[in-house]
Amino acid sequence: KQEVTQIPAALSVPEGENLVLNCSFTDSAIYNLQWFRQDPGKGLTSLLLIQSSQREQTSGRLNASLDKSSGRSTLYIAASQPGDSATYLCAVNSYNQGGKLIFGQGTELSVKP
Amino acid sequence: NAGVTQTPKFQVLKTGQSMTLQCAQDMNHNSMYWYRQDPGMGLRLIYYSASEGTTDKGEVPNGYNVSRLNKREFSLRLESAAPSQTSVYFCASSENWGNEKLFFGSGTQLSVL
């Protein structure tokens, strides 16, 4: 059974710092991995989707990498801003789950001015 | 472009009452999903509809029923609400099943007393 873990559960950084959020998964037979952002009281917004054949995806100040063999993905946020404060979730779509996404519990990020 | 719209945003029920959560998407997506989000449990899939005319159980289907009314609309029904169904419910859609970016609604906060 696929399990997705995100560590740390919470992170606080000063504005301007570059930071890395981690996601690990137990079954490397995946179709893809998605990173989402969730603001308090809101739904999830998809940030980046990495297919299993890709190593990384970039969107603006965000860069997500994928290492299937080690069961890891990282979300790199450059030059963090207070507006980046939110919970970041990763979700894995694996063969053995029949196409259903399995979510991690998220990292709550706070960027202090 | 509204994306995924859920109603209601908030609801309080008494144990044993029934209700239907409505979801509509205007992106011409084939696949739609219902998730629940609970503290410490993350997001869990309740039911999904891979395409119009089909529905399937997810990870936690007990106590729920769904209807894919047409390509745009996917409703979730609680026949006899229980306190364990207190949660935040999210509807989501994707262009196709299994390998696509997910788009989420803003959620329904449900309390069952």
Side-chain angles (χ1 to χ4, degrees):
Chain A
K1 180 183 175 184
Q2 179 72 271
E3 294 182 1
V4 181
T5 304
Q6 292 184 250
I7 296 173
L11 181 64
S12 182
V13 301
E15 181 177 4
E17 191 163 299
N18 301 326
L19 60 99
V20 173
L21 305 181
N22 297 297
C23 173
S24 62
F25 47 96
T26 55
D27 184 352
S28 62
I30 66 170
Y31 290 114
N32 59 51
L33 181 146
Q34 288 190 56
W35 281 94
F36 294 87
R37 168 184 174 140
Q38 185 175 27
D39 293 287
K42 301 288 180 62
L44 282 71
T45 300
S46 182
L47 298 172
L48 291 164
L49 183 152
I50 311 176
Q51 302 292 353
S52 62
S53 58
Q54 297 175 320
R55 295 286 293 185
E56 63 180 84
Q57 280 283 344
T58 298
S59 176
R61 293 183 294 108
L62 305 179
N63 176 278
S65 67
L66 174 64
D67 184 343
K68 272 198 317 178
S69 60
S70 66
R72 293 181 183 177
S73 176
T74 61
L75 180 66
Y76 174 82
I77 303 177
S80 59
Q81 303 170 358
D84 294 329
S85 298
T87 297
Y88 292 81
L89 298 98
C90 68
V92 174
N93 188 338
S94 54
Y95 297 153
N96 294 328
Q97 297 295 326
K100 306 179 191 66
L101 282 182
I102 305 299
F103 283 82
Q105 296 199 22
T107 295
E108 184 177 357
L109 174 66
S110 176
V111 181
K112 305 292 187 185
Chain B
N1 189 342
V4 179
T5 303
Q6 288 181 237
T7 56
K9 291 190 181 300
F10 302 94
Q11 184 71 50
V12 179
L13 294 177
K14 295 180 180 178
T15 297
Q17 287 185 316
S18 62
M19 79 160 294
T20 300
L21 281 65
Q22 306 287 353
C23 176
Q25 52 88 12
D26 62 2
M27 295 173 283
N28 200 36
H29 284 171
N30 289 304
S31 302
M32 298 185 73
Y33 314 79
W34 277 104
Y35 287 89
R36 59 178 288 174
Q37 186 175 36
D38 302 288
M41 301 294 291
L43 274 139
R44 293 178 293 171
L45 183 64
I46 305 171
Y47 269 94
Y48 65 96
S49 171
S51 60
E52 186 179 0
T54 70
T55 60
D56 284 287
K57 296 178 181 179
E59 187 182 354
V60 287
N62 291 345
Y64 305 95
N65 286 301
V66 291
S67 295
R68 183 75 182 265
L69 304 170
N70 48 55
K71 191 172 185 178
R72 290 186 63 248
E73 298 174 287
F74 188 40
S75 63
L76 178 71
R77 182 160 178 84
L78 286 70
E79 290 291 351
S80 179
S84 61
Q85 294 178 304
T86 294
S87 186
V88 180
Y89 291 84
F90 290 101
C91 178
S93 71
S94 64
E95 188 169 351
N96 292 297
W97 165 248
N99 202 26
E100 304 283 340
K101 186 175 177 179
L102 253 64
F103 294 81
F104 280 79
S106 58
T108 296
Q109 174 76 60
L110 175 67
S111 295
V112 183
L113 306 178

